[in-house]
Amino acid sequence: MAAFRSDLGIDLGTASILVYVKGKGIVLNEPSVVAIDQNTKRFLAVGEEARKMLGRTPGNIIALRPLRDGVISDYDVTEKMLKYFIQRAIGRFLFKPRVIVGVPSGVTEVEKRAVLEASNQAGAAKTYLIEEPMAAAIGAGIDITEPNGNMIVDIGGGTTDVAIISLGGIVVSKSIKVAGNECDEAISRYIRKKHNVMIGERSAEELKINIGTAYKKNKEEFMEVRGRNLVTGLPKTVNISSSEMLEALEEPVTNIVDSVHAVLERTPPELAADIANTGIVMTGGGSLLWGLDKLISEKTGIDARVADDPVSCVAIGTGKSLDWVDVLENSLMNDDKVRSK
């Protein structure tokens, strides 16, 4: 029966969705954006095609992200989007796939139920949930079954999850709704306040990726960005420097560093000693912000390093844990466990 079924691991992110097919690896990495015709409620585009429409649609078409802060904000759209991605990843299948979905460590029972039901309605035979820091650790190649402390900082699009992992379980964790999207919004606010120019979501993201920094750079970098002048209402181009980016990102970056500090304060002494030796592993797209690893190292006194493929760690971890369903049974959440609570 297993030969006719393709089990899946899904990183259901606020910014993007990655799908891992057992035996094949990551087969799909698309933005979690959907374009819908409001008059007919018909899906017009999903993924990268829909992302290009953000901020550029006529009145009857909306391009939206059905996931906010790592959880489902629009159930029906998420279910249809998941169905589309599952079918694209594995095509036609004889038996429904088992699916493991990564969720933030701070999700409520209601939010867990929403993800489980959306996945099952989208075509899963059985859905398991795994906390993203656990999946990120597995994806980063850490042996989580050993009695050693490992610290994971997973910075996604909607949430930052900080966790101490030992013996296949999470000992201490903290999840905050400050991550990549909050950084984009901070950049937009800063440019609006300092330059009187309104810029779009995509422009803010491009600034963050190209010249964004969490630590002072030796060499100043510049990038032009176009937006609407709030005084004249006309298009305007402004030249933004990396030092301005440092100032713009100060608040969200400080929140992330503070959450790392808060978790370390609650860590048992033996595990804290392990982490001082092994260091902090950073995963997720947000960990690619220039200088963030240096800043965390400086503020904590513990070596912080970015995983080899930080964006894919959670997806790889969800996929690998398909082989460990029996071993990780206590860490994984499924329909029966959530229903019984």
Side-chain angles (χ1 to χ4, degrees), residues 155 179-180 183-184 187 204-205 207-215 217 242 245-246 248-250 252-254 256 282-296 306 310:
I155 308 164
C183 290
D184 296 342
I187 290 167
E205 189 180 13
L207 276 172
K208 178 186 72 180
I209 291 167
N210 293 316
I211 61 166
T213 178
Y215 200 84
K217 286 187 173 182
S242 53
M245 284 291 97
L246 182 65
L249 293 166
E250 185 180 0
V253 164
T254 301
I256 291 168
M282 296 170 64
T283 63
S287 64
L288 294 169
L289 179 65
W290 195 91
L292 187 54
D293 52 343
K294 288 183 183 179
L295 185 69
I296 290 174
V306 179

Side-chain angles (χ1 to χ4, degrees), residues 57-110:
T57 56
N60 65 313
I61 296 170
I62 52 165
L64 57 92
R65 295 184 184 274
L67 296 139
R68 294 296 300 173
D69 301 326
V71 293
I72 294 172
S73 61
D74 189 320
Y75 178 85
D76 293 331
V77 175
T78 303
E79 184 198 312
K80 288 177 184 171
M81 182 176 72
L82 265 176
K83 195 169 191 174
Y84 170 82
F85 283 132
I86 288 172
Q87 285 176 348
R88 256 195 67 189
I90 58 177
R92 298 185 64 174
F93 43 88
L94 192 57
F95 295 103
K96 289 182 175 181
R98 284 185 311 172
V99 176
I100 294 187
V101 183
V103 292
S105 56
V107 290
T108 63
E109 296 303 318
V110 174

Side-chain angles (χ1 to χ4, degrees), residues 110-140:
V110 174
E111 289 162 350
K112 287 175 192 172
R113 162 61 48 206
V115 175
L116 287 167
E117 287 187 356
S119 175
N120 288 339
Q121 289 295 321
K126 189 173 184 74
T127 302
Y128 294 92
L129 304 183
I130 185 170
E131 290 178 317
E132 283 174 359
M134 180 77 78
I138 296 167

Side-chain angles (χ1 to χ4, degrees), residues 121-197:
Q121 289 295 321
K126 189 173 184 74
T127 302
Y128 294 92
L129 304 183
I130 185 170
E131 290 178 317
E132 283 174 359
M134 180 77 78
I138 296 167
I142 294 168
D143 186 352
I144 59 164
T145 58
E146 292 291 316
N148 295 321
N150 292 288
M151 187 170 197
I152 294 287
V153 180
D154 181 48
I155 308 164
T159 57
T160 294
D161 287 292
V162 185
I164 307 294
I165 295 168
S166 178
L167 284 168
I170 292 177
V171 182
V172 186
S173 71
K174 184 178 173 70
S175 182
I176 59 167
K177 292 180 177 179
V178 177
N181 291 354
E182 186 68 30
C183 290
D184 296 342
E185 287 167 22
I187 290 167
S188 295
R189 282 196 304 269
Y190 178 85
I191 291 172
R192 186 167 67 239
K193 189 177 175 183
K194 185 168 181 184
H195 296 279
N196 266 339
V197 171

Side-chain angles (χ1 to χ4, degrees), residues 255-304:
N255 285 334
I256 291 168
V257 174
D258 287 348
S259 66
V260 173
H261 205 274
V263 169
L264 283 168
E265 283 178 343
R266 290 159 47 211
T267 304
E270 292 293 343
L271 295 178
D274 291 341
I275 291 153
N277 290 330
T278 57
I280 298 167
V281 178
M282 296 170 64
T283 63
S287 64
L288 294 169
L289 179 65
W290 195 91
L292 187 54
D293 52 343
K294 288 183 183 179
L295 185 69
I296 290 174
S297 295
E298 188 179 278
K299 296 291 184 184
T300 61
I302 299 168
D303 182 46

Side-chain angles (χ1 to χ4, degrees), residues 2-3 5-9 19-27 89-90 98 315-316 318-323:
R5 183 179 69 197
S6 296
D7 291 340
L8 304 175
V19 180
Y20 181 107
V21 176
K22 192 173 178 180
K24 292 182 183 174
I26 293 172
V27 296
I90 58 177
R98 284 185 311 172
I316 293 167
T318 55
K320 282 186 177 175
S321 50
L322 288 163
D323 298 326

